[in-house]
């Protein structure tokens, strides 16, 4: 079985290929012939990503069918449904790595900053639920006189939102907590740059068995 550290290195290598325009032959074959997985799946990582159409997760990491268990929701927020989906994957398939993948220019983060700036957008009840889940992670960044349109603040908010989701997953699920404590799962945050295609992982995790 692939360890968490090995899975992380495979994702790093895949992203390097993506950035350099080098397509892995095995991954390409997997994308062309998905039928080989009809008997089951053994994903090497779970990725909680934003729904943004500019963040095609399997392509970003140059992975084929069956390699990633991807959950996509605006703002990569860790609500009950994403958490339940992650719990399913790590219990059912023994997947050792969970990546929370945010990205530059995140609309959910920017909508939340607008809300905190006192310029709330007209949002539906469903979108309101997304903004409310992003808000606790980014609110501590905002002091008096903060420039809510400052690109640096937006990027810091993207990072803070990812780390907030990482914390919610690590501390908000008994299933995930038990696996983390047992050394069988790690949860890490990352940011995808729409401008460059690069993925930055925020911290170096310890290995899981």
């Amino acid at each position: 079985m692939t360890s968490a550290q090995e899975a992380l290195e495979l994702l790093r290598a895949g992203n390097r290929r993506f950035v350099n325009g080098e397509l892995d032959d095995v991954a390409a074959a997997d994308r062309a012939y998905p039928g080989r997985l009809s008997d089951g799946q053994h994903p090497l990582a779970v990725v909680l990503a934003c729904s943004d159409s500019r963040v095609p997760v399997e392509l970003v990491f140059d992975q084929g069918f069956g390699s990633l268990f991807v959950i996509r929701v605006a703002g990569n927020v860790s609500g009950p449904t994403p958490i339940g989906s992650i719990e399913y994957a790590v219990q059912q398939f023994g997947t050792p790595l969970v990546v929370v993948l945010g990205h530059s220019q995140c609309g959910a983060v920017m909508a939340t900053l607008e809300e905190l700036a006192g310029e709330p957008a007209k949002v539906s009840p469903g979108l309101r639920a997304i903004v409310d889940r992003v808000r606790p992670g980014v609110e501590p960044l905002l002091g008096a006189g903060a420039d809510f349109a400052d690109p640096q603040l937006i990027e810091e908010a993207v990072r803070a939102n990812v780390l907030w989701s990482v914390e919610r997953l690590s501390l908000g699920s008994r299933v995930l907590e038990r696996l983390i404590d047992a050394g069988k799962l790690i949860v890490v945050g990352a940011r995808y740059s729409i401008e460059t295609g690069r993925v930055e992982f925020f911290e170096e995790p310890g290995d899981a068995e």
Side-chain angles (χ1 to χ4, degrees):
M1 177 181 292
T2 303
S3 73
Q5 191 64 39
E6 289 169 340
L8 184 60
E9 289 306 316
L10 287 171
L11 296 186
R12 289 184 186 278
N15 182 243
R16 286 193 295 269
R17 292 193 300 271
F18 172 75
V19 171
N20 294 329
E22 301 168 352
L23 186 64
D24 180 73
D25 291 340
V26 175
D30 287 348
R31 286 193 288 268
Y33 302 104
R36 67 179 182 80
L37 298 170
S38 58
D39 292 335
Q41 58 175 311
H42 301 283
L44 61 91
V46 178
V47 182
L48 173 58
C50 184
S51 301
D52 195 297
S53 64
R54 298 168 294 179
V55 190
V57 177
E58 287 85 355
L59 295 181
V60 163
F61 291 114
D62 192 25
Q63 297 297 317
F65 282 88
S67 294
L68 301 178
F69 191 95
V70 180
I71 301 138
R72 301 188 66 168
V73 58
N76 41 270
V77 297
S78 54
T81 299
I83 289 175
S85 298
I86 294 169
E87 290 175 343
Y88 169 77
V90 299
Q91 290 184 109
Q92 186 75 13
F93 311 124
T95 307
L97 175 67
V98 175
V99 178
V100 179
L101 182 65
H103 65 92
S104 61
Q105 304 180 33
C106 180
V109 169
M110 289 190 282
T112 304
L113 290 175
E114 290 175 2
E115 179 92 3
L116 293 170
E119 303 174 3
K122 294 181 180 179
V123 299
S124 66
L127 182 53
R128 165 64 52 199
I130 298 291
V131 169
D132 287 346
R133 290 193 180 279
V134 173
R135 181 173 182 147
V138 305
E139 197 164 21
L141 297 175
L142 309 174
D147 180 0
F148 291 83
D150 181 359
Q152 182 175 349
L153 176 60
I154 294 172
E155 287 307 307
E156 289 175 357
V158 166
R159 179 187 180 101
N161 179 51
V162 168
L163 294 177
W164 176 252
S165 285
V166 168
E167 181 179 344
R168 292 302 88 204
L169 293 178
S170 301
L171 301 176
S173 163
R174 291 182 180 178
V175 170
L176 302 184
E177 282 185 60
R178 285 196 296 267
L179 291 170
I180 291 169
D181 290 343
K184 295 181 179 179
L185 179 72
I186 62 173
V187 182
V188 299
R191 170 192 175 274
Y192 171 69
S193 170
I194 289 175
E195 296 80 6
T196 68
R198 296 185 186 277
V199 173
E200 171 198 3
F201 288 90
F202 292 157
E203 56 190 53
E204 291 289 343
D207 199 6
E209 299 298 331

